[in-house]
Amino acid sequence: MDSQRKKSISSGGGGTANVPIRQNMDIKVAQQPSDDSVAKSPKSPKSSHAKSNSVSSLRKEPKESSRKSEAAANEAEVPGRTMAAPAQLPDFILQRNLLFHELKKKHDAEMVDKPRPPIDVVLDLGLDKNGMPRAPMSISAKAWESTPGSFLKHVDKEVSADVVVAKINGKELWDLDRPLECSCRISYLPFTSPEGRNVFWHSSAHVLGEAAECQYNCLLSHGPPVEQGFFYDMAIAEGNVVKETDWAPLENKASKFFKEKQPFDRLHVSIQDLKRMFGYSKYKMYYIENLLPPEGSTVYRCGTLVDLCLGPHIQNTSKIKTFQIMKNSSCYFRGDKNDDTLQRIYGVAFPDKKLMAEHKKFLEEAAKRDHRKIGTDQELFFFDELSPGSVFLLPHGTIIFNALQKMIRQEYQKRGYQEVQSPNMYDVELWKKSGHWKHYQEDMFSLEVEKRTFALKPMNCPGHCVMFGHRERSYRELPLRMADFGVLHRNEASGALSGLTRVRRFQQDDAHLFCTQDQITEEIEGLFDFLKYVYDMFDFKFKMRLSTRPEKFMGEIESWDMAEAKLRDALDNFTRRVGGQWELNEGDGAFYGPKIDIAMSDALKRDHQCGTIQLDFQLPQNFQLEYMTGEAAHKAGTTAEDKSEEPADASRPKVPGPGRARPVMIHRAIVGSFERFFAILTEHFVGKWPFWLSPRQVLVIPVMPAVNDYVEEVQRLLRAQKLHADIDVSGNTMQKKILRGQHQQYNFIFVVGAQERESRSVNIRNRDDRQTQSKGELIPLDEALHKLKALRKERRIINAL
């Protein structure tokens, strides 16, 4: 199963929420979907009851002849189960579970006779408490019998106690109780690892689904892990909604399931049997009919829940020590407002009660930093349903936005970039040529103009290919670094929109580098230096991950191997110079080239992927981009008669002629979407902007009205230096004016009276220096202006003169 299908069906049965699509400069990071969001996927079949939320209307009842009695289903012997199905479960759940039991029993019988040849297993046990690598452990095992969990008895408790899931050969996550199939290398992932945490929350979502089925007799849709926990979507009886009073009963049911130590049983099921198993639900049938490969997929059982799911999962529910429902809301199936309205329940769970307490503190701090709240309080931006997903930047927000762009633009000038502007709208023939129309059409805004179909650009790369190819190019022009701040539009699902972090209209620090193969390493190292400069400016720590050739790829293997080797060399050189390590993510590159994803960590230690570096062999091929190598003069005169008269093979890419070569294209972004980066900075600094970014740099306040003329003069002098200075000459008391300025997060408040006017000085209160709050420091006005200009020019993060 290819990765796109794998991730799609995971969202249908409890896996990741996002379906990947080809985006050459899609700078996204995993984030918690908003209340109406689910993965975008092919349009669901329309039906006469498309808007009905009645559970009975969404369920396809099996024929009476196929029904099993409730008693027979309850009394069926199910290996490994510790509980009987509660009598109140409806027939469609009992029949589903009975079919799973029958198929599992058949599968287990087949496994008894399966050969169990010896295999070699190596355990990678990670780092010890001192950060040193533990010695690998070699173990003899048997295929189709030995499991990763069975080896934990050989491992120190400090490792085994925290294990959530196994990873095979550094690539595939594997259930601890799933038999191995061949010789391999195994590593163990704890809850503290991102992948381990997602598996743990994924399993917790299944427990929530089990509790919801028991409580509501509902139809489940999907339940993935998200940034701060997990959720499950469901259709319940028409006219009913989830209420906050339902939370405690759901939590009590979940706690009961934890104590029952319910195992997660995995089973591969054919498409035919999946339709029998889930035929009662139009939601599951949608996933089966639209997202699964012909050979079928896996199903997991946990207690009374049997769900369509790729897994993997934790060993059993006893690993979950604390569980809490955080909120509930309504949402649309597939995030489409024209589809069914479902109920969504969010939860979070941990293997340790201390972690739950820490998580609640984290949520409190995150709520204080919410960029949507700060943006409203500081009058930076707002949204309106007249243009969903498009931000209205107010004057103060525009100041911040422009300051960010100015910083990037100045770096472009130093680093040899050429800024360009490209059209916002293209004939779809461009997108067909680039390959985006096939993979990305539903995510583009298209329109008819004079009987031609046009689309607003969701990325700049095809337009930059047109700009490169519009005239003859020489090797002397390479590397050609083309930068574009153009406006982009992507047709995000309405339910997926979330503040500045997920929008439909945005701008990026988008650039494309055209270079020779010999220039790749040097260009990549230059990008690393650019990344470090920008992220250090905001005190962001970052880590890099190399994603290599996927199973389905374009181009020649030799080109991939060469490109990956150059990226490895660049990563090794950079980490050797600045310290740290980079990670390898085998097989997860884009189909058109390997890539390096950069995740930066904010003040709350949340990771955000803003930067990306991607090599692309495909677009230069699609657009037949070429440059003159300079070797033509050394060739013996090549004439038309010298060329082969054999007909060209239309199925093979056109090869550049003598003295010509195809450039390599590098897609890159440092901050990515400016809107998203704006949100990250807002929460990172809690609205306390560094001076060079701040829209409220100085507030000048008079001690008494008699010095208002000096207050206005100071403002004029500050604004003459392009500093953002305001005054407060209202009738409020001086103390109220100061409190207002502090609340609005002015970097500095100048308080002036008769003494300051006579001495041409200002009394300065520093926002971040408590000692200056009662009475500031008296500084000559000219000196203050000089220091403020230096603070802005140096782009210091510390607010100090």
Side-chain angles (χ1 to χ4, degrees), residues 209-384:
E210 181 184 3
E213 280 195 340
C214 290
Q215 178 142 328
Y216 302 114
N217 291 343
C218 59
L219 299 182
L220 298 176
S221 170
H222 80 312
V226 289
E227 187 178 353
Q228 300 299 334
F230 50 87
F231 67 79
Y232 228 115
D233 290 349
M234 63 203 71
I236 60 178
E238 187 171 10
N240 292 339
V241 295
V242 176
K243 303 181 183 68
E244 191 168 345
T245 52
D246 298 338
W247 295 5
L250 286 167
E251 289 170 351
N252 291 337
K253 285 181 173 64
S255 296
K256 180 173 176 285
F257 301 153
F258 304 151
K259 294 174 184 176
E260 290 170 348
K261 205 173 181 178
Q262 298 175 357
F264 284 84
D265 298 321
R266 180 182 184 273
L267 182 66
H268 190 277
V269 181
S270 68
I271 289 290
Q272 181 180 356
D273 284 332
L274 285 174
K275 289 181 177 180
R276 290 173 58 205
M277 188 175 289
F278 296 104
Y280 62 86
S281 170
K282 80 169 196 176
Y283 306 115
K284 299 300 181 185
M285 288 299 291
Y286 170 75
Y287 297 131
I288 293 167
E289 292 171 350
N290 290 278
L291 301 176
L292 288 183
E295 62 269 21
S297 186
T298 50
V299 168
Y300 277 80
R301 177 179 61 195
C302 167
T304 61
L305 176 69
V306 173
D307 205 2
L308 187 65
C309 179
L310 286 174
H313 286 283
I314 59 177
Q315 286 177 296
N316 60 69
T317 57
S318 69
K319 299 281 187 183
I320 305 171
K321 302 301 182 186
T322 178
F323 173 102
Q324 185 169 330
I325 292 174
M326 306 305 292
K327 65 177 180 177
N328 68 269
S329 64
S330 62
C331 63
Y332 298 118
F333 180 54
R334 302 182 316 105
D336 185 347
K337 67 179 181 180
N338 296 315
D339 223 316
D340 292 350
T341 299
L342 304 179
Q343 296 296 299
R344 173 171 295 178
I345 303 175
Y346 287 93
V348 70
F350 294 94
D352 188 320
K353 291 183 179 180
K354 290 181 181 177
L355 293 175
M356 178 67 84
E358 292 172 4
H359 180 71
K360 289 181 178 179
K361 288 182 181 179
F362 166 83
L363 291 180
E364 289 176 9
E365 182 60 29
K368 295 176 187 175
R369 295 170 177 263
D370 190 324
H371 74 277
R372 293 164 294 189
K373 179 180 183 300
I374 293 172
T376 300
D377 292 345
Q378 295 189 358
E379 293 189 77
L380 303 178
F381 59 83
F382 70 92
F383 289 88
D384 194 286

Side-chain angles (χ1 to χ4, degrees), residues 7 179 215 217 244 263 265 291 311 350 433 444 452 511 551 635 680 709 737 796:
K7 293 184 181 179
Q215 178 142 328
N217 291 343
E244 191 168 345
D265 298 321
L291 301 176
F350 294 94
K433 188 173 185 178
M444 299 170 69
R452 294 168 63 188
E551 290 182 13
K635 300 272 183 188
I680 293 168
D709 57 340
K737 293 175 183 178
R796 281 180 266 146

Side-chain angles (χ1 to χ4, degrees), residues 513-517 520 562 615-617 620 662-666:
L513 285 57
F514 298 90
C515 64
T516 68
Q517 291 190 359
I520 291 176
M562 174 276 299
L615 293 191
D616 190 346
F617 310 121
R662 189 90 63 218
V664 176
M665 187 177 187
I666 303 175

Side-chain angles (χ1 to χ4, degrees), residues 762-800:
V762 287
N763 189 292
I764 302 179
R765 301 181 183 220
N766 183 337
R767 179 193 65 196
D768 299 339
D769 185 352
R770 285 180 171 273
Q771 294 181 352
T772 66
Q773 297 305 311
S774 56
K775 185 176 182 182
E777 183 181 2
L778 198 65
I779 297 179
L781 181 56
D782 290 343
E783 182 182 341
L785 284 169
H786 176 75
K787 289 184 175 181
L788 289 172
K789 287 162 59 181
L791 179 60
R792 178 182 61 188
K793 182 179 180 181
E794 295 165 15
R795 295 194 174 102
R796 281 180 266 146
I797 198 171
I798 303 297
N799 196 60

Side-chain angles (χ1 to χ4, degrees), residues 489-516:
H489 289 85
R490 293 182 184 173
N491 189 14
E492 300 281 0
S494 59
L497 302 176
S498 179
L500 292 173
T501 60
R502 186 70 70 87
V503 291
R504 287 176 172 165
R505 185 261 188 208
F506 61 100
Q507 292 173 258
Q508 291 184 153
D509 66 326
D510 199 0
H512 297 93
L513 285 57
F514 298 90
C515 64
T516 68

Side-chain angles (χ1 to χ4, degrees), residues 106-165:
K106 179 182 177 182
H107 170 268
D108 291 345
E110 293 171 352
M111 289 296 294
V112 170
D113 299 325
K114 199 170 186 72
R116 286 164 168 71
I119 57 174
D120 297 321
V121 173
V122 176
L123 304 184
D124 281 329
L125 302 178
L127 305 177
D128 63 21
K129 58 185 177 183
N130 297 317
M132 300 300 293
R134 293 186 175 92
M137 183 183 298
S138 297
I139 293 181
S140 296
K142 290 184 178 181
W144 303 104
E145 178 177 313
S146 302
T147 66
S150 68
F151 305 137
L152 289 174
K153 61 187 176 185
H154 303 297
V155 178
D156 292 342
K157 279 193 174 181
E158 62 178 303
V159 176
S160 62
D162 297 328
V163 169
V164 170
V165 70

